[in-house]
Amino acid sequence: FAATKSLAGRFTLLGDAPDPVKAFVPVRFHLYSSEVVGKLRPLGGEPIEPGGSGLVEIRLSQPVVAVRGDRIASAASSMSAESFTYRDL
């Protein structure tokens, strides 16, 4: 498996999140025991509303090794993420 600094996948924003995700937002990306800072943005031009889900890109400050189907947690002070599932696009 190869390390990467850019991931794409399906992201679910918790219903109690204060704001939709419209553009790049800073996140703390958790995969197994690692934590990496990065930025998350919706793909397709539409914001992700609280309680909704959509495809996103995460750009990381350091490379990680993830495989299709990995469940990943990400969090920011302004949002709550339920889940992110890495997928190849």
Side-chain angles (χ1 to χ4, degrees):
F1 300 104
T4 184
K5 291 173 73 174
S6 180
L7 300 170
R10 178 154 299 278
F11 176 80
T12 302
L13 186 61
L14 289 179
D16 64 353
D19 297 305
V21 176
K22 298 179 183 177
F24 276 114
V25 293
V27 294
R28 291 188 173 277
F29 177 87
H30 300 269
L31 175 63
Y32 301 107
S33 64
S34 66
E35 178 184 61
V36 179
V37 295
K39 294 180 181 180
L40 179 144
R41 74 175 178 103
L43 295 173
E46 294 296 319
I48 300 174
E49 299 292 333
S53 66
L55 295 179
V56 296
E57 174 190 19
I58 297 179
R59 293 186 187 171
L60 301 170
S61 63
Q62 298 176 335
V64 298
V65 176
V67 296
R68 183 181 180 114
D70 277 350
R71 294 189 61 85
I72 296 158
S74 61
S77 59
S78 63
M79 68 179 189
S80 300
E82 183 175 69
S83 66
F84 171 88
T85 303
Y86 169 65
R87 60 179 256 167
D88 297 317
L89 293 180

